Every structure is written in C-alpha cells, then in structure tokens.
Amino acid sequence: MMSKGKFVFTVFASFLILTAFACVSEAKTIYVPDDYARIQWAVDHASAGDTIIVRDGTYYENLKIDKQLTIKSENGSENCIVNGGGSDVFTLKADGIRIEGFTITGGGHGIYIRSNKNTIINNNISSNKWEGIFLWGSDENSISNNNISSNNDYGIDLDDSNSNSISNNNIISNNDDGIALLYSNNNSISNNNICSNKYGGIYLKNSNNNSISENNISSNNLYGISLWLSNENTIRKNKFMNDGLFVYDSYNIVENNTVNGKPLVYLEGESDEFIDNAGQIILVKCKNITVMNAEIKNTDVGIELFKSDNCLISNNNISNNGDGIALWYSNNNSISNNTNSNNYDGIDLLYSNNNSISNNNISSNNDAGIYLWYTNNNSISENIIISNNLFGIFLHKSNNNSISNNNISSNKCDGICLEDSNNNIIYMNNFINNANSVYSYESTNIWNSTSQMTYTYKGKTFTNYLGNYWDDYTGSDADEDGIGDTPYSIDGDKDYYPLMERFENYFVLPTQYGVYVCVPSCAPDIIQAFPGSNISFVLKVKNTGTEEDTVLLSVTDGFGWDFEYPEKIELAPGEEKYFFLNFTPPYSASNRICVKAVSKSDPSKVSKCDVQYFPSPSNWDPLSFRFSFNTREELEVEEVSEFVKVSEFSPTDSNLILSIFVEPVGGRVKNIIKVKSKETGESVAIPFTTVNHTAITTDFKFPDDSYSFENWGTFITIPILDWELGIRGRCFGMSETCLLFYEGIYELPEGRHCLYEVQKDDKTTLYNIPVSTLITIHQIRLKNTLTDWLKEFAKTNNKAEYINLKQNISRNEPVILIMLGVKSSKGKKTAILHACVAYGIIEVGNKAYILMYDNNYPYKNDAFHFSPSYACAVLDKEKWSFKYSGYSKMMVVKATPLLKAELERLLSEGNISTLPRSYISNITIQRND
C-alpha cells in the first residue's frame, strides 16, 4: 500500500522528468542575421543548449559567451569571418561551448577560454594581436582540425590548464611558439602539423604528464620541442624535419621519434653505450657514452649532454644545426676530431667543467665557434676555429680555462671575447685576420705559458715564456729569439711574450695518428639484391694524422659470411682512398656489416661504420637491385653498363632510393653504375653482378646440358627481340593466342608476338600493352575450401595432369595451374595452394620445364616494377615428381566464362588496370576436363 508522502514525491519526480524533456525539446536554432543582426545579440537571447548558425559574411564583434551554446557558421570558415577589431574575438566563460567553422581574425586573442569542456573545431584562426587560442585555468577542452597561423604570439597557449586534447591542427607561422604549455598537465597533443613558427614548435615549462605523439614538426626557427623543468611527459612517434628536441632539467619518456628520417637517439640514465647513426642525440644523466662517426644536420642541437659525464664525442660531422654540440652541467667529457660548421654556435659549454675540446674543425657558425658560460677548468686545444660570424671563442663568467695551440682566424667580430672571466691561461694560439683579435671586458687573464718552454726559432734553441701570435702586432724582435720586445696590449691585460710567427714554427709538433672510415655520400650504405648476386659496397678511408700510416681493416657481421676487402691500406697524411667490400649473399637474410679501421702506428685510433644487406626487393626477380643512400645531397647517375636500367632517385623520409634492373642476357653479367654528388662533385663507380640465369627465345635450340635448375627459384628470362626495329625492353614470350581469354578483345600490332612495354632507342613509347591485366589470376579467391581442394588432389596424379596440360598448350590455350604444397611453422604442417598461368612447355630429355607467369606486383613504368616474373616448374617424366617453390602436386584448371565477361566489361569501359579484388571475389574455378 502506497503512503500519501510517497505518492506526492513520485508525482513531483515525474513532473521534473517531464519538465526536463520539455526543456530539451525546446532547444532551438537561431540564425544570424535572420533572427538577430549580430552574433552577440543571438547569444544574449539564446538559452543553454541552443544552436546559433551564422550565415556567410564578415562580422565585426567581440563575443562573450556565458552559456552552453553551439555557435557555427553555415558554410565554413572561408565564408564566415569574425573580426575582433583589436579586442578578443571569442571569450568563453561557460562550460560545454562549441565554436565551429569561422575565420577568427583581427582580435586580441582569437579565442580566450576561461571555462571547461569546450570544443573548438574547423576554424581558421589567424592574424590576431596575441594568441590564436588562449586557455587560462581551463580543462578538458577539445581543439581539433583548426588552421592556426600568423598570430602575433603563441598559436595555442595553455596556462594552468589540464587534460585538454589538441589534435589534427595546422599550426603555422605564428610569431612565438606554435603550442606553449605553462604549468599545464595531462594534456594530449597529437597528429598536428606544426611548422615555421618564429620560435619553436611546442614549448613546455613546468608541465608534466603530457602526451606528445605523431606530430609533424618542421622548420620552426629555434626548436621543434623544448622541455624546461617538465617531467614524465611522453614524446613518441613524432617526425621532425629541420627541427628536433631540446631538454633542460627535464626527465621524460622519449621514443620512436625521427629527425630528418634518422632516429632521434634519447638516452636517460644510461651508461656504456655506443652511438653512430642518428638524426639527433640527447643524453640526460648518462655516463661513458661514445658518440662516433655520426652525421647530424638540420636539427635544433646536434648533440646535447645534460648532466652527463665522462662521454666521448669524436669523429662526427655536425652542421646546419641550432647548436652543434651543447653541454649543460656536464663534466669530464672529451670532444675531439669533429667537424662543426654552419651551426648557431659550434660548441656550447654551460655550467660545465673539466671538459676537453681538441682537434676539432669549427667554422662558419652564425654566432661563436666555442661558447663558454659560467664554465671553468676546461681545456681548449689544437682546434681550427675559422670564419665564424661573430666570435671565435666567447667566455662569459668562465674562469681557470686553458686555451692553447688553436688557429683562430677570419672571425667576423672577435677572435676571442672575454666578459667577467678571469685566470684563464691563453697561450700559443694564432690570431689571424679576425675583425678584432681580442676583446676583454672586466677580465684579468694570463696571455702566456705559466712556465718557461724550450723551443726552436730559425734554427736556434731558446728557453722562455711563450705568448700568442697576433697578426696585428707591430713590435720588433731585436734579439731574434722569436718573441716581441714589447708587450701586445689587450684592453686592461697584456701579452708580455708575443710571438713573431705562427706558433707552429717554434716546435716540431708531436706525431699524431688518426683514421676515419665512412660510406661516401654518393655511395649506398644499404643494398638490396637477390641472394647469389655479387655486390660491392664502396667505402672511403682517410688518414687524419700527421704522419704516413698503414690503416688495418677488418669486417664483422651477424652470419660469418665471406667478404673480400683490402686488409691494409697505406696512406699519406690527409690522404683518402676508396675501397670495395665485396661479397655474395649465400642465402636470403638481412645482414648488418661493421667495417673497422685501425691505425697500425697507434692502435688506439679506431673508426667504424656500418653497411647493410637486405634480400632482393622482389623475391621473384634475380635481376632487380635497390641502392639506398644515406644523404640529403642531390645525386645523379653519370654512367651505367649496357644492360642496366635505372629509375629516378626517389627520396624517402630517411634516404634516397635508386631502383635498378638488369636486362636478361643469360649467365652472370658484370655491371657498373656511376653515381655523382651534384653538391660536392664526388663520384664513385659501384660494381655488381647478377645471379646465374638462362635467357631463351622461342626459336632457341636447347642442348641437354643447357639448364641448371638447382634451386626452386630458378627463372627463365626472355631476351630482347627484334633488334632490326631498334626496339629494346623486357619481353614476355606469350603468343597472341595466349592472352588469358583476351582473344578478339585486344589485338596486337601486326608481326608482334609478345606482351611488354616497347620503347625505341630514344626512349619514346612505341606502344604499351598493360601486363597488369594478367595479374588477376593471382588474386582469385577460390570459393572451394581447402578441404575441397585436398579431395580433388587426392583423385589426381602429376602424369595425368601433365598430359592434360600438354593438350591445352598444344591448342595455344593457356591454363591455370593450381599447385599443392606443405608449409611448416613451429612444428606444424599446413597445406597451401598457389595459382599461376602456364603458357609453355619445353621438354629436354626426361625433364619438362613448364613456363609460367607468376607475379602479384602491379606493373609500373619504373625499373623496380619493370620485372614480371618468368617462373619455371620442373617435372621429372620418369618419377613424375613436380617441383616449384615447395609445391609438389599440380592440377590443371580453367576460368569460368564469368571471368572473361568481367574482363570484357572492364575493357569496354576503358579500365585496363589491375582488376579490383571486388570484381573477382565470387569467381569460381572449375576443372578443365
């Protein structure tokens, strides 16, 4: 029994529910300017939940939205413009607002968000005075599919804003960072295109637990992503082009990112690692890391060490970066034998002590060759520091450093500049042709050796303190001891022992040894070829020492293959030579090969580089090759052998690809291809030899011993026909009556009996018949189940099927050959089926060679795809054993008329490309009895 009180409550609750439904049903759509002339008036008169649709036009408004509304344009952002006239265009003060489809421009902020759970989508937000979108204490918003460009501050700015999603936006050419997160956590930034912003792509300061993934970040002016005092963020699967990552006192997860197509190597808390291939290298709290033989270009900082000690950075080429090498709070590291050029600063040391910088070539950097900031007790020696845009060496509040035996020349401001830096020992350096040799402000330093040194000058031996060579010193040397009689003045300091000549003339420098081995930029570091091909990597070795030396070479790999290479090379100082690493892959396996060069005179001088072999890009074709070049230089093919066809260079994210195909002429063919760098003029000739193969024609006479089908992959290749017509190309030896049910549909030109792309000598196309139409049979989805086929095969034998096959071939009717095999995997055996087109038989002795077309690659007019396969199955007519790629039984079938009808229909519509699978998914196969 219901009590009175309960009844009243139930009625009241029902009333509330009905009222709620009534409110929902009353949500209305308001049109501007139909219902209200201005958008703000529509907002003011709308209720929460209403939709405001703005028709095409330009509206000059400053919108303040304080209720949950959807405001969208009628026909998209190109047709509906809201101009803020210098003040904020949209200000969002309520939760759950949706702004869609506007051009938002001319404002203070484009969109100022001070509420939560809003959606900003499909807008063009540009040319505002401050940020495109500004979030202040705003959470759980979605910002997607917007174009945010040319705003005078950040593209998107999150201040104290959490759990927001920023995805699929184009954030371009803003006057500060593309995206900035300040004290903002747990946000997701994904799948955005962030490029060409004045400062950086994405900037995080005191922001944690954010996810930054799968963005394209390119050509921002200072950095791609900058992490300042930000921790536990995940930076994953981003692609940086002409950009990279910078880290300051931050500890994060950084993985699977690329910089200019190479891996971004980020190590945190690691030790005893070796790095030699990267687009950028960042070491955070690491120890004993070796970075050697890397080439790093066009990123934010080539190599960054943050709180990382006892690392070796040697023999690297670092150019066109923000900074070449930067050390922050990092001690006891060695930086030697690197080339640092065209960076902002060549080498930066900030708050880093007891490091050694030696034997580097530091040139043409935009600011300083070497920059020291609050950095002490470092050694800078034997470097070439030349043609930097401001300073050769710059010191700010850096003390007790040793700077000696450097060549500092042609720098456009100061050879060396010191600010508030004291007790540095600077001696035996050459200062030549700098705009100013030295500038010293509030600094007191020592400009000569701290102890007397014995030296030789003009054949005489002296002992004295030694200063520096200054090309603008005008003093005399009356006693001819090589030291000027009057000091060289340096602002408040003096060099009391200025040298009369370059310091090298005072000593016979100690003997130095060094080696460097690499792959030239115009040679491939990855080669793909068919096993059995003979291939050669071209490498270069250089004597980087001061004396003649013998370089000892060794090679290691993962499989113990045999390699041919010179075990030692004699080199004069500075001399470099090319050599070949030659081998024949014995089987199909990817192999990483390490080449090591060691100085015989000083075995501690070691250089390494890697090359890689991959199996052929087409498992069906032993005549195709692919060369991959690890360079951004523009390369060209200068010369190829007679039978070689090459494609154009194809750039990828990480390298240049050159696809190569060799015309079939029989046997093993030795070839060569010569590649040249347009930038440097360097060129190399790369040799390679195809596998053994047999070339036949329809009128070839076959001696009994003319075949050697030792492996299932042996191919019969067809040679060039009709030389008298000057026609060259791959040929497909199928008669015009063997067109797979094309009789009467497509006629070949008179006198032609083959299908292939035909070219004249001048490379113009004579005619082109699409080979791709023959691929369809390989795509047929058999309606019969595997069990059905096994039952059919149980009724057959190879002898009966072969007789059936000969009868069809004798009538010039190609047939489909279904083959049965067994596949083993993890101890289990599985029956497998395969289908080919059989079009010919050659009988030699007790062997029958069944010629088949077997290719599931679409035909394209380039060297890589210009390779339809000409497979050959072998039948022993005594044992009646069948052999082809692991298949041991065959069955002769033919296509139903439905297939022919589908082909005819497609041809009548002008569609002669590869048949889509949808057209043939229901075609069945029937026996050809």
Side-chain angles (χ1 to χ4, degrees), residues 775-811:
I775 297 169
T776 58
I777 192 60
H778 201 78
Q779 299 175 329
I780 290 176
R781 298 177 181 176
L782 305 176
K783 290 190 73 173
N784 306 61
T785 66
L786 183 59
T787 302
D788 294 334
W789 279 107
L790 292 176
K791 291 178 181 178
E792 288 295 318
F793 270 106
K795 303 175 186 177
T796 65
N797 61 72
N798 289 336
K799 180 178 181 180
E801 295 302 314
Y802 180 66
I803 293 171
N804 191 3
L805 174 65
K806 285 189 66 174
Q807 290 174 348
N808 283 276
I809 296 298
S810 67
R811 296 194 295 265

Coordinates of all heavy atoms in Angstrom, one line a residue, residues 775-811:
I775 N 47.6 -10.1 -64.1 CA 47.8 -10.4 -62.7 C 46.6 -10.9 -62.0 O 46.7 -11.6 -61.0 CB 48.3 -9.1 -62.0 CG1 49.7 -8.7 -62.6 CG2 48.5 -9.3 -60.5 CD1 50.1 -7.3 -62.1
T776 N 45.5 -10.7 -62.6 CA 44.2 -11.0 -61.9 C 44.1 -12.5 -61.5 O 43.6 -12.7 -60.4 CB 43.0 -10.7 -62.9 OG1 43.2 -11.6 -64.1 CG2 43.0 -9.3 -63.3
I777 N 44.7 -13.4 -62.2 CA 44.6 -14.8 -61.8 C 45.2 -15.0 -60.5 O 44.8 -15.9 -59.7 CB 45.2 -15.7 -62.9 CG1 44.7 -17.1 -62.7 CG2 46.7 -15.6 -63.0 CD1 43.3 -17.3 -62.7
H778 N 46.2 -14.3 -60.1 CA 46.9 -14.5 -58.9 C 46.1 -14.0 -57.7 O 46.4 -14.2 -56.6 CB 48.2 -13.7 -58.9 CG 49.2 -14.2 -57.9 ND1 50.0 -15.4 -58.1 CD2 49.6 -13.7 -56.7 CE1 50.7 -15.6 -57.1 NE2 50.5 -14.6 -56.2
Q779 N 45.0 -13.2 -58.0 CA 44.2 -12.6 -57.0 C 42.9 -13.3 -56.8 O 42.1 -13.0 -55.9 CB 43.9 -11.1 -57.3 CG 45.2 -10.3 -57.4 CD 44.8 -8.9 -57.8 OE1 43.9 -8.7 -58.6 NE2 45.6 -7.9 -57.4
I780 N 42.6 -14.4 -57.5 CA 41.3 -15.1 -57.5 C 41.1 -15.7 -56.1 O 42.0 -16.3 -55.6 CB 41.2 -16.1 -58.6 CG1 41.1 -15.5 -59.9 CG2 40.0 -17.0 -58.3 CD1 41.1 -16.5 -61.1
R781 N 40.0 -15.4 -55.5 CA 39.7 -16.0 -54.2 C 38.9 -17.3 -54.5 O 37.7 -17.2 -55.0 CB 38.9 -15.1 -53.4 CG 39.6 -13.8 -53.0 CD 38.7 -12.9 -52.2 NE 39.4 -11.6 -51.9 CZ 38.8 -10.6 -51.3 NH1 37.6 -10.7 -51.0 NH2 39.5 -9.5 -51.1
L782 N 39.5 -18.4 -54.3 CA 38.8 -19.7 -54.6 C 37.6 -19.9 -53.7 O 37.7 -19.8 -52.5 CB 39.8 -20.8 -54.5 CG 41.1 -20.6 -55.3 CD1 42.1 -21.8 -55.0 CD2 40.8 -20.5 -56.8
K783 N 36.5 -20.2 -54.3 CA 35.3 -20.5 -53.5 C 35.4 -21.9 -52.9 O 34.9 -22.1 -51.8 CB 34.0 -20.4 -54.3 CG 33.7 -18.9 -54.7 CD 32.3 -18.8 -55.3 CE 31.2 -19.0 -54.2 NZ 29.9 -18.7 -54.8
N784 N 36.1 -22.7 -53.5 CA 36.3 -24.1 -53.0 C 37.1 -23.9 -51.7 O 38.1 -23.1 -51.6 CB 37.1 -24.9 -53.9 CG 36.5 -25.0 -55.3 OD1 36.4 -24.0 -55.9 ND2 36.1 -26.2 -55.7
T785 N 36.8 -24.7 -50.7 CA 37.6 -24.7 -49.4 C 38.8 -25.5 -49.6 O 39.0 -26.3 -50.6 CB 36.7 -25.3 -48.3 OG1 36.5 -26.7 -48.6 CG2 35.4 -24.6 -48.1
L786 N 39.7 -25.4 -48.7 CA 41.0 -26.1 -48.8 C 40.7 -27.6 -48.7 O 41.3 -28.4 -49.4 CB 41.9 -25.7 -47.6 CG 43.3 -26.4 -47.6 CD1 44.1 -26.1 -48.9 CD2 44.1 -25.9 -46.4
T787 N 39.7 -28.0 -47.9 CA 39.3 -29.4 -47.8 C 38.8 -29.9 -49.1 O 39.2 -31.0 -49.6 CB 38.2 -29.6 -46.7 OG1 38.7 -29.1 -45.5 CG2 37.8 -31.0 -46.6
D788 N 38.0 -29.1 -49.9 CA 37.5 -29.5 -51.2 C 38.7 -29.7 -52.1 O 38.7 -30.7 -52.9 CB 36.6 -28.4 -51.8 CG 35.3 -28.3 -51.0 OD1 34.9 -29.2 -50.3 OD2 34.8 -27.2 -51.0
W789 N 39.7 -28.8 -52.1 CA 40.8 -29.0 -53.0 C 41.7 -30.2 -52.6 O 42.1 -30.9 -53.5 CB 41.7 -27.7 -52.9 CG 41.2 -26.6 -53.7 CD1 40.6 -25.5 -53.3 CD2 41.2 -26.5 -55.2 NE1 40.2 -24.7 -54.4 CE2 40.6 -25.3 -55.5 CE3 41.6 -27.4 -56.2 CZ2 40.4 -24.9 -56.9 CZ3 41.5 -27.0 -57.5 CH2 40.9 -25.8 -57.8
L790 N 41.8 -30.5 -51.3 CA 42.6 -31.7 -51.0 C 41.9 -32.9 -51.5 O 42.5 -33.9 -51.9 CB 42.7 -31.7 -49.4 CG 43.6 -30.7 -48.8 CD1 43.6 -30.7 -47.3 CD2 45.1 -30.8 -49.4
K791 N 40.5 -32.9 -51.5 CA 39.8 -34.1 -52.0 C 40.0 -34.2 -53.5 O 40.2 -35.3 -54.0 CB 38.3 -33.9 -51.7 CG 37.9 -34.0 -50.2 CD 36.4 -33.8 -50.0 CE 36.1 -33.9 -48.5 NZ 34.6 -33.7 -48.3
E792 N 40.1 -33.0 -54.2 CA 40.3 -33.1 -55.7 C 41.7 -33.6 -56.0 O 41.9 -34.4 -56.9 CB 40.1 -31.7 -56.2 CG 38.7 -31.2 -56.3 CD 37.9 -32.0 -57.3 OE1 38.4 -32.4 -58.4 OE2 36.7 -32.4 -57.0
F793 N 42.7 -33.1 -55.2 CA 44.1 -33.5 -55.4 C 44.3 -35.0 -55.1 O 45.1 -35.7 -55.7 CB 45.0 -32.7 -54.5 CG 45.5 -31.4 -55.2 CD1 45.0 -30.2 -54.8 CD2 46.5 -31.5 -56.3 CE1 45.5 -29.0 -55.5 CE2 46.9 -30.4 -56.9 CZ 46.4 -29.1 -56.5
A794 N 43.5 -35.5 -54.2 CA 43.6 -37.0 -53.9 C 43.2 -37.8 -55.1 O 43.6 -39.0 -55.2 CB 42.7 -37.3 -52.7
K795 N 42.4 -37.3 -56.0 CA 41.9 -38.0 -57.2 C 42.9 -37.9 -58.4 O 42.8 -38.5 -59.4 CB 40.6 -37.5 -57.7 CG 39.5 -37.5 -56.6 CD 38.2 -36.9 -57.1 CE 37.2 -36.7 -56.1 NZ 36.0 -36.0 -56.6
T796 N 43.9 -37.0 -58.3 CA 44.8 -36.7 -59.4 C 46.2 -37.3 -59.2 O 46.6 -37.7 -58.1 CB 44.9 -35.2 -59.6 OG1 45.6 -34.7 -58.5 CG2 43.5 -34.6 -59.7
N797 N 46.9 -37.3 -60.3 CA 48.3 -37.6 -60.3 C 49.0 -36.7 -61.3 O 48.4 -36.2 -62.2 CB 48.7 -39.1 -60.5 CG 48.2 -39.5 -61.9 OD1 48.8 -39.1 -62.9 ND2 47.1 -40.3 -62.0
N798 N 50.3 -36.5 -61.1 CA 51.0 -35.5 -61.9 C 51.1 -35.9 -63.3 O 51.1 -35.1 -64.3 CB 52.4 -35.3 -61.3 CG 52.4 -34.5 -60.0 OD1 51.5 -33.8 -59.7 ND2 53.4 -34.7 -59.2
K799 N 51.2 -37.2 -63.6 CA 51.3 -37.7 -65.0 C 50.0 -37.3 -65.8 O 50.1 -36.7 -66.9 CB 51.5 -39.2 -65.0 CG 51.6 -39.7 -66.5 CD 51.9 -41.2 -66.4 CE 52.1 -41.8 -67.9 NZ 52.4 -43.2 -67.9
A800 N 48.8 -37.6 -65.2 CA 47.6 -37.3 -65.9 C 47.4 -35.8 -66.1 O 47.0 -35.3 -67.2 CB 46.4 -37.9 -65.1
E801 N 47.8 -35.0 -65.1 CA 47.6 -33.6 -65.2 C 48.6 -33.0 -66.2 O 48.3 -32.1 -67.0 CB 47.9 -32.9 -63.8 CG 46.9 -33.3 -62.8 CD 45.5 -32.9 -63.2 OE1 45.3 -31.8 -63.7 OE2 44.6 -33.8 -63.0
Y802 N 49.8 -33.6 -66.4 CA 50.7 -33.1 -67.4 C 50.2 -33.4 -68.8 O 50.3 -32.5 -69.7 CB 52.1 -33.8 -67.2 CG 53.1 -33.3 -68.2 CD1 53.6 -32.0 -68.2 CD2 53.6 -34.2 -69.1 CE1 54.5 -31.6 -69.1 CE2 54.5 -33.8 -70.1 CZ 55.0 -32.5 -70.1 OH 55.9 -32.0 -71.0
I803 N 49.6 -34.6 -69.0 CA 49.0 -34.9 -70.3 C 47.9 -33.8 -70.6 O 47.8 -33.3 -71.7 CB 48.5 -36.3 -70.3 CG1 49.7 -37.3 -70.2 CG2 47.7 -36.6 -71.6 CD1 49.2 -38.7 -70.0
N804 N 47.1 -33.6 -69.6 CA 46.0 -32.6 -69.8 C 46.6 -31.2 -70.1 O 46.2 -30.5 -71.0 CB 45.2 -32.5 -68.5 CG 43.9 -31.7 -68.7 OD1 43.6 -31.2 -69.7 ND2 43.2 -31.6 -67.6
L805 N 47.7 -30.8 -69.4 CA 48.4 -29.6 -69.6 C 48.9 -29.5 -71.1 O 48.7 -28.5 -71.8 CB 49.5 -29.4 -68.6 CG 50.4 -28.1 -68.8 CD1 49.6 -26.9 -68.6 CD2 51.6 -28.2 -67.8
K806 N 49.6 -30.5 -71.6 CA 50.2 -30.5 -72.9 C 49.1 -30.4 -74.0 O 49.3 -29.6 -75.0 CB 50.9 -31.8 -73.2 CG 52.3 -31.9 -72.5 CD 53.1 -33.1 -73.0 CE 53.5 -32.9 -74.4 NZ 54.4 -34.0 -74.9
Q807 N 47.9 -31.0 -73.7 CA 46.9 -30.9 -74.7 C 46.4 -29.4 -74.8 O 46.1 -28.9 -75.9 CB 45.7 -31.8 -74.3 CG 46.0 -33.3 -74.5 CD 44.9 -34.2 -73.9 OE1 44.0 -33.7 -73.2 NE2 45.0 -35.5 -74.2
N808 N 46.2 -28.8 -73.7 CA 45.8 -27.4 -73.7 C 46.9 -26.5 -74.4 O 46.6 -25.6 -75.2 CB 45.5 -26.9 -72.3 CG 44.1 -27.4 -71.8 OD1 43.1 -26.8 -72.1 ND2 44.2 -28.5 -71.1
I809 N 48.1 -26.7 -74.0 CA 49.2 -25.8 -74.5 C 49.3 -26.0 -76.0 O 49.5 -25.1 -76.8 CB 50.5 -26.1 -73.8 CG1 50.4 -25.8 -72.3 CG2 51.7 -25.4 -74.5 CD1 50.2 -24.3 -72.1
S810 N 49.1 -27.3 -76.5 CA 49.2 -27.6 -77.9 C 48.1 -26.8 -78.7 O 48.3 -26.6 -79.9 CB 49.2 -29.1 -78.2 OG 47.9 -29.6 -77.9
R811 N 47.0 -26.5 -78.0 CA 45.9 -25.8 -78.7 C 46.1 -24.2 -78.5 O 45.2 -23.5 -78.7 CB 44.6 -26.2 -78.1 CG 44.2 -27.7 -78.4 CD 42.8 -27.9 -78.1 NE 42.4 -27.8 -76.7 CZ 42.4 -28.8 -75.8 NH1 42.7 -30.0 -76.3 NH2 42.1 -28.6 -74.6

